[in-house]
Amino acid sequence: MNTPPPNSPAQMNAQMTITAQPLLSQNKKDAQPLFMVLVILAFLATLTLLAVASGYRAAAGWHDNLDGTVTVQIKPGENTKQAEQAKAILSELPSVATITILPSEHSKKLLQPWLGDTPLPDDLPLPILLDVKLKAKQELNIKHVTSLLSAAGIRADIDDHSQWDEEIKRTTGAARVLSLLALALITIASVAASIFATRAGLTRQRRLMDVLHQVGAPPRYTARLLSFRFAWSGFKAGAIGALAALLVSVLVGLLFSTSGGFSYFLPGLHLSLADIYLVIAVPIILALIIALTSWQTVVKTLFDEIYP
Amino acid sequence: MNHQNARPDINNSHHIRSGNATANIQFDRVGFRYDRDGEILSDVSFSLPQGSMTFVTGPSGAGKSTLLKLIYLHMRPSRGLITLFGQDTSQIERASIPALKRRMGIVLQDFRLIEHLNVFENVALPLRVAGQKRANYQDDVLGLLKWVGLGARAHALPPTLSGGEKQRAAIARAVIAKPEILIADEPTGNVDDDIGHRLIRLFAELNRLGTTTIIATHNIALIPDGANILSIKNGHISGHISGVEIS
């Protein structure tokens, strides 16, 4: 069939400019609930990711601080000469890297949590502490060192922090498992909610899907059209949620730092530059999940309900 | 050639007559039922030649819409054989359906216009979906809109159109891609008789240009004299009337 010729199409065309319209409605009001759900999901997922990453770093930091160090405590009543003597003995050992005799202020500071800011008398008997750092991957034979110091007439306790290190390993291990579990649950909830929200959004486009099918659009045409729109919306929502979570993390981190880093033994939210990759990854992953979900939903709907 | 002389070929003994090489729609003992309900259509057999214009009539619920849905591949029959463009539809793969759909224009009673797209975009939709460039079809769309009397309404959104304008926009969309078959389900259902007659004349003009046209309507007053009619009652073809004067 030939389309009936108009009187003067070229003339009409010259008189009439028709601006191209996008096939999908630009009505943001309809899509707002879905958008808000995605923003919240992205916010929670990013916050959890940042907390887990921060917790991992804190645990690693604690372990590193304790690993490779030994504290020698010269009993109170001994003079600083013995501390120098102990330092000389320890310096002879091949595994020792550096030895620092800590000033008495350091010992006093350690008592602060128990005694408060009350000025301590100068004649208070305090131990002298030696901070011994070992060479990489080296260990100190505590028994041997104790016998060396005893032989020199020095009364000292030696602590290689092994007891603390084990406890920290256990505690941080449990914290890691818990945070990974929380992350997995939030991820599953995010994926499920994204799928649900995407399907709910697609029902609003059902008329368009029907009409596109009626005029002979292949399923992949409709799926591409809707998937791209939903994925782009998901990316924007993900970016807003992730940036909001980053902002909250930075503020919480600042709050911890202004309170002297005291956070009731919990790792504070200490961000690193590497965390920016996590913040970037969240909207990308969210967009991919939504694209996949909407593609599958559109194709399944077309095949199950529209195609016989 | 007067395509209205190409009469539908039916056989109430449920056999398609042989030798109809130019038929582009054939039903052979077609039955359709939803789940365990009784058959909506039962033992329907007919053949529509290329370029024919046929009215499908019958009371509400007789099965007219179901018959059309089977033709435009919206549903598959429960039994029997449907041949479309020489192909057995039961053998058509899903991936091939969009291409077949593009050879058909469909007008439904509820218009199915996309409300956020203006009349021009609604009418141009089949060409856009087919991947044609806007510059290549803009003149055709504007020309067709003028031909159906919507030249001045190209920018209008569907909610601002009258029932008759919506129906003409839906018809324009159905024919813009020059389909070989035009299917209209109660195209005059939402308009008054005057507009209804004008729409039927529009279909007749399209048919004269070579399109096989099938129109389902319960309003026999709109069917022109001498038209080909397939009458359906209780899911069966109850008669074939041609050249009958209907007052």
Side-chain angles (χ1 to χ4, degrees):
Chain A
M1 187 195 103
N2 293 319
T3 302
N7 288 343
S8 174
Q11 190 181 359
M12 280 185 65
N13 197 14
Q15 292 168 351
M16 191 175 285
T17 307
I18 307 282
T19 310
Q21 289 182 296
L23 281 184
L24 288 170
S25 167
Q26 299 298 299
N27 187 352
K28 289 181 181 171
K29 205 174 168 184
D30 278 356
Q32 229 164 24
L34 168 65
F35 192 80
M36 287 310 298
V37 167
L38 295 176
V39 168
I40 292 165
L41 288 174
F43 176 81
L44 291 175
T46 311
L47 210 56
T48 314
L49 267 174
L50 291 176
V52 169
S54 177
Y56 261 74
R57 271 196 303 275
W62 290 338
H63 180 72
D64 289 347
N65 283 341
L66 293 176
D67 203 28
T69 64
V70 172
T71 303
V72 176
Q73 183 178 306
I74 310 290
K75 294 285 176 68
E78 308 296 338
N79 55 38
T80 52
K81 191 181 169 187
Q82 282 201 340
E84 292 292 346
Q85 200 180 348
K87 183 180 178 182
I89 293 168
L90 292 167
S91 302
E92 298 293 318
L93 299 171
S95 56
V96 172
T98 61
I99 304 167
T100 309
I101 299 174
L102 300 174
S104 61
E105 283 72 25
H106 186 84
S107 300
K108 287 178 182 173
K109 205 175 176 183
L110 291 174
L111 294 173
Q112 211 173 23
W114 285 270
L115 302 179
D117 292 331
T118 312
L120 298 173
D122 289 338
D123 58 348
L124 183 74
L126 289 172
I128 298 172
L129 300 176
L130 275 71
D131 185 27
V132 181
K133 292 207 185 311
L134 303 179
K135 289 176 182 168
K137 296 178 183 173
Q138 293 286 321
E139 287 183 1
L140 200 64
N141 186 329
I142 303 295
K143 279 186 181 172
H144 175 61
V145 174
T146 307
S147 65
L148 282 176
L149 294 176
S150 293
I154 302 167
R155 289 194 305 127
D157 286 334
I158 302 171
D159 182 5
D160 64 356
H161 311 133
S162 56
Q163 186 191 347
W164 285 103
D165 204 21
E166 282 305 312
E167 283 184 14
I168 283 174
K169 275 181 186 169
R170 272 200 301 275
T171 307
T172 54
R176 281 175 181 176
V177 170
L178 282 174
S179 55
L180 283 177
L181 193 65
L183 180 65
L185 288 174
I186 285 185
T187 305
I188 291 168
S190 301
V191 171
S194 301
I195 291 170
F196 179 77
T198 305
R199 285 183 179 161
L202 281 171
T203 57
R204 290 198 317 274
Q205 305 291 344
R206 183 54 196 264
R207 166 55 70 99
L208 179 70
M209 287 168 67
D210 281 347
V211 174
L212 287 174
H213 169 67
Q214 183 184 317
V215 299
R220 65 176 180 278
Y221 179 95
T222 312
R224 191 171 56 232
L225 184 76
L226 292 169
S227 300
F228 184 80
R229 161 64 75 86
F230 278 94
W232 177 237
S233 176
F235 181 82
K236 285 193 288 186
I240 292 170
L243 286 173
L246 181 65
L247 188 67
V248 168
S249 303
V250 169
L251 289 174
V252 170
L254 284 174
L255 199 68
F256 278 143
S257 65
T258 53
S259 65
F262 182 65
S263 55
Y264 299 97
F265 300 107
L266 292 171
L269 271 168
H270 301 295
L271 301 176
S272 84
L273 274 178
D275 290 337
I276 200 75
Y277 294 116
L278 295 177
V279 176
I280 292 170
V282 166
I284 293 171
I285 291 170
L286 193 64
L288 287 175
I289 290 170
I290 290 170
L292 192 67
T293 305
S294 48
W295 182 283
Q296 283 182 332
T297 306
V298 171
V299 171
K300 192 172 184 305
T301 304
L302 286 169
F303 279 156
D304 288 356
E305 297 177 32
I306 298 179
Y307 283 86
Chain B
M1 173 186 170
N2 183 354
H3 292 286
Q4 289 200 34
N5 290 332
R7 303 285 182 205
D9 192 7
I10 69 161
N11 186 332
N12 283 326
S13 63
H14 315 307
H15 293 285
I16 295 286
R17 288 178 187 166
S18 60
N20 196 345
T22 59
N24 50 8
I25 301 168
Q26 282 189 339
F27 274 49
D28 185 10
R29 297 180 185 181
V30 170
F32 180 83
R33 67 169 72 224
Y34 291 105
D35 300 325
R36 291 178 184 174
D37 297 339
E39 282 196 323
I40 309 290
L41 289 176
S42 189
D43 288 329
V44 173
S45 299
F46 64 86
S47 172
L48 302 183
Q50 191 178 340
S52 62
M53 181 167 180
T54 307
F55 288 86
V56 181
T57 66
S60 188
K64 303 186 294 295
S65 294
T66 303
L67 180 77
L68 296 193
K69 282 178 183 173
L70 290 171
I71 295 174
Y72 66 76
L73 303 171
H74 191 74
M75 301 186 303
R76 288 192 193 274
S78 308
R79 61 188 176 88
L81 176 70
I82 298 174
T83 308
L84 197 64
F85 304 116
Q87 294 179 66
D88 174 0
T89 57
S90 67
Q91 303 299 316
I92 295 171
E93 291 184 3
R94 280 173 169 171
S96 306
I97 290 177
L100 281 175
K101 288 251 182 189
R102 288 195 290 274
R103 296 172 70 180
M104 294 185 271
I106 301 157
V107 183
L108 301 175
Q109 190 175 358
D110 62 354
F111 318 121
R112 299 267 175 115
L113 297 174
I114 299 172
E115 296 203 341
H116 65 271
L117 296 182
N118 61 33
V119 170
F120 178 94
E121 296 291 355
N122 265 289
V123 172
L125 195 59
L127 303 175
R128 192 167 171 175
V129 161
Q132 290 195 31
K133 289 187 177 170
R134 192 178 182 82
N136 294 341
Y137 63 69
Q138 181 156 312
D139 287 349
D140 285 347
V141 175
L142 290 173
L144 181 60
L145 283 177
K146 187 169 185 186
W147 191 66
V148 298
L150 291 174
R153 304 288 276 155
H155 290 97
L157 291 173
T160 67
L161 300 177
S162 68
E165 286 174 328
K166 284 179 184 172
Q167 197 61 288
R168 279 178 281 154
I171 293 167
R173 184 178 65 192
V175 300
I176 186 65
K178 299 167 183 144
E180 293 163 60
I181 297 174
L182 177 60
I183 299 160
D185 189 4
E186 298 284 1
T188 58
N190 290 310
V191 295
D192 59 37
D193 277 0
D194 182 44
I195 295 173
H197 280 293
R198 286 165 60 186
L199 289 174
I200 296 297
R201 280 200 294 276
L202 185 60
F203 282 116
E205 284 186 60
L206 292 166
N207 172 248
R208 267 193 286 276
L209 293 162
T211 305
T212 305
T213 307
I214 308 144
I215 302 165
T217 180
H218 67 278
N219 189 354
I220 55 173
L222 293 172
I223 300 174
D225 295 347
N228 303 313
I229 300 171
L230 280 178
S231 186
I232 298 181
K233 193 174 181 182
N234 297 327
H236 295 269
I237 292 187
S238 58
H240 166 223
I241 308 165
S242 61
V244 177
E245 190 172 335
I246 300 168
S247 59

